[in-house]
Amino acid sequence: MKALDLLPLVEDVDPYKHYGRVKRVVGLMIESQGPESSVGDVCYIYTGMQKKKNRILAEVVGFRDEMVILMPFTAVSDIAPGCMVEGSGRSLEIKVGSGLIGKVVDPLGQPIDDSLLPKGLATVPVDQDPPNPMKRPPIHEQIDVGVRVIDSLLTVGKGQRVGIFAGSGVGKSTLLGMVARNTTADINVIGLVGERGREVREFIEKDLGPEGLARSIVVVATSDQPALMRIKGALTATAIAEYFRDKGLNVMLMMDSVTRVAMAQREIGLAIGEPPTTKGYTPSVFAILPRLLERTGTNQLGTITAFYTVLVDGDDMNEPIADAVRGILDGHFILDRDLANKGQFPAINILKSISRVMNNIAQDRHKKSAEKLRANLSTYMESEDLINIGAYKRGSSKQIDDSITRYPEIISFLKQGTHEKAAKDDSINALVGLMEKGDQS
């Protein structure tokens, strides 16, 4: 490169370091006088004489009365008035590459088992813009997720974004583990946001297993970490998925859960003075959700197929976060507690769930069989009380008679063992065979 070509780069370099001083700490927030910075910039707060050993990472989240408002990535217990604040002039960046596959990292991209990062990794910013909508190729190809009820009745396409809505303890993590182990995607990126510390290792060893971990990168931000770390956990997982998508791969991104991301953003919003709106959520919550969720999907190079879990309070599917997420994504799967109590796993209520791209990627024979199964199941559910108490007499309705005959086989088809793998083509053929056999009889 010629010297003249380097001049624009040199002119953009700031030769000065910018410093400030901590003035006060209020709750989760740190107020400092200086340094010169922008919202989203990373700053370093020095809490002792030895800078390198006592450096706390923080991010600029706002300004008030010429004071810089910072939120730390760790606890604020060591910060005192007068601590020096150094501005970096850049946003948070992480190291990513194929060397991370099989590792479990924190929101800053560092392995949580205290091992060293492998060499040869690229540096990418955590927060990026979603792809240009005019440069998103349409979804036209199915992806095998290895779960029979999804592949056959709620078919997912490469680059589709789906929400998994459920209350606590209905099988979200188990379903994500099944998808991670069985999918034909090139690589899995799993974001565990706001999880209990006990459940992290349990998910990795039990639900994900060695087979799933060998083709996955797991990003963990536990519930005891500051709100900013939980939000960065979601952004870091998405940035890693984007890196591999831009390498031309088909990526499977799984995030558990979007609700905890929203709660973390609410904490930050309330701390910096945002007014609470719907059920206490601040306006910034409903701004960050589409920005996060729209980053996945297709682009000109590869695809990110995304599954986002949404933890609904009291099984209320219309609470604010669930309603906002459902309006952004390309489909929603409802996990039903009643089905789980009956021992049907995965407990997906197919009558309340939908894949918005299935009609565009499934063949006619497949779609007709799926519609017939839904119709049969719906008819049975509407008459279930009458059937169970013996008030319905056979022969009163051909549709109900047909649904009663098919019901046991339908339920058997919908059930799948946690470690049972079901290939997409086999699942679709089984669905078509089940419904056409009933028509012939």
Side-chain angles (χ1 to χ4, degrees), residues 126-318:
V126 164
D127 196 3
Q128 303 182 53
D129 293 328
N132 186 321
M134 295 303 295
K135 295 181 180 179
R136 285 185 182 268
I139 298 170
H140 57 78
E141 188 178 352
Q142 300 178 16
I143 188 169
D144 188 345
V145 300
V147 179
R148 188 182 304 115
V149 64
I150 296 177
D151 285 332
S152 59
L153 297 165
L154 300 163
T155 308
V156 174
K158 291 181 179 178
Q160 185 175 353
R161 302 158 305 148
V162 179
I164 300 175
F165 295 75
S168 57
V170 190
K172 298 185 301 299
S173 297
T174 302
L175 179 58
L176 292 183
M178 291 175 66
V179 173
R181 290 193 306 272
N182 300 334
T183 182
T184 57
D186 298 318
I187 184 174
N188 301 316
V189 180
I190 304 171
L192 303 179
V193 181
E195 285 288 327
R196 304 175 187 90
R198 174 188 63 82
E199 292 182 334
V200 172
R201 186 167 179 178
E202 187 176 297
F203 172 81
I204 293 170
E205 294 182 356
K206 181 181 175 182
D207 295 326
L208 188 58
E211 179 186 355
L213 183 60
R215 53 201 299 265
S216 304
I217 300 172
V218 184
V219 182
V220 175
T222 51
S223 59
D224 60 294
Q225 292 181 297
L228 188 59
M229 281 289 271
R230 281 175 268 149
I231 291 177
K232 294 304 179 185
L235 297 177
T236 295
T238 306
I240 293 172
E242 289 171 326
Y243 171 84
F244 287 103
R245 176 181 63 185
D246 292 343
K247 295 294 183 183
L249 301 181
N250 295 313
V251 184
M252 178 68 72
L253 171 66
M254 287 164 277
M255 190 176 296
D256 184 14
S257 71
V258 173
T259 307
R260 295 190 181 108
V261 176
M263 289 178 175
Q265 182 61 40
R266 177 173 62 182
E267 284 184 42
I268 294 175
L270 292 174
I272 64 176
E274 279 191 81
T277 54
T278 311
K279 286 197 174 180
Y281 288 102
T282 56
S284 61
V285 173
F286 301 99
I288 195 176
L289 285 176
R291 181 171 177 80
L292 172 66
L293 302 179
E294 286 289 350
R295 286 172 62 180
T296 54
T298 61
N299 73 359
Q300 295 169 307
L301 302 171
T303 65
I304 300 176
T305 307
F307 285 90
Y308 298 97
T309 68
V310 181
L311 185 63
V312 291
D313 293 332
D315 294 336
D316 178 13
M317 300 299 168
N318 295 314

Side-chain angles (χ1 to χ4, degrees), residues 323-380:
D323 199 44
V325 171
R326 190 167 50 239
I328 298 169
L329 299 179
D330 307 317
H332 53 271
F333 300 166
I334 307 297
L335 299 189
D336 195 317
R337 193 176 299 277
D338 291 336
L339 296 180
N341 292 338
K342 292 178 181 178
Q344 180 179 323
F345 291 100
I348 299 177
N349 188 328
I350 63 168
L351 299 179
K352 296 181 179 179
S353 305
I354 189 171
S355 170
R356 291 179 179 169
V357 304
M358 180 176 175
N359 286 336
N360 300 329
I361 59 177
Q363 296 181 355
D364 290 341
R365 190 180 180 192
H366 174 194
K367 287 188 288 186
K368 288 179 181 178
S369 296
E371 290 168 1
K372 287 179 183 177
L373 189 146
R374 285 175 179 269
N376 271 265
L377 189 58
S378 176
T379 300
Y380 183 90

Side-chain angles (χ1 to χ4, degrees), residues 116-127:
L116 297 176
L117 281 174
K119 296 181 179 179
L121 302 181
T123 301
V124 298
V126 164
D127 196 3

Side-chain angles (χ1 to χ4, degrees), residues 16-150:
Y16 300 99
K17 285 191 174 182
H18 300 273
Y19 294 95
R21 292 284 179 183
V22 171
K23 289 298 181 182
R24 64 174 182 166
V25 176
V26 183
L28 304 174
M29 297 291 112
I30 302 166
E31 293 188 6
S32 71
Q33 188 169 7
E36 183 180 330
S37 55
S38 304
V39 172
D41 282 358
V42 170
C43 293
Y44 305 104
I45 303 174
Y46 296 106
T47 60
M49 297 300 293
Q50 296 178 349
K51 295 182 178 180
K52 292 184 179 179
K53 293 185 179 179
N54 299 279
R55 191 172 75 169
I56 293 176
L57 204 62
E59 183 175 297
V60 178
V61 295
F63 305 95
R64 183 187 297 129
D65 298 330
E66 298 184 1
M67 303 291 283
V68 179
I69 303 176
L70 301 160
M71 173 164 275
F73 287 87
T74 55
V76 298
S77 55
D78 295 333
I79 299 173
C83 287
M84 186 172 67
V85 182
E86 178 187 338
S88 69
R90 55 180 177 78
S91 60
L92 182 65
E93 296 176 333
I94 58 166
K95 298 282 188 178
V96 60
S98 57
L100 281 185
I101 298 174
K103 289 191 174 294
V104 183
V105 300
D106 66 12
L108 304 180
Q110 298 296 320
I112 64 174
D113 60 359
D114 296 327
S115 62
L116 297 176
L117 281 174
K119 296 181 179 179
L121 302 181
T123 301
V124 298
V126 164
D127 196 3
Q128 303 182 53
D129 293 328
N132 186 321
M134 295 303 295
K135 295 181 180 179
R136 285 185 182 268
I139 298 170
H140 57 78
E141 188 178 352
Q142 300 178 16
I143 188 169
D144 188 345
V145 300
V147 179
R148 188 182 304 115
V149 64
I150 296 177

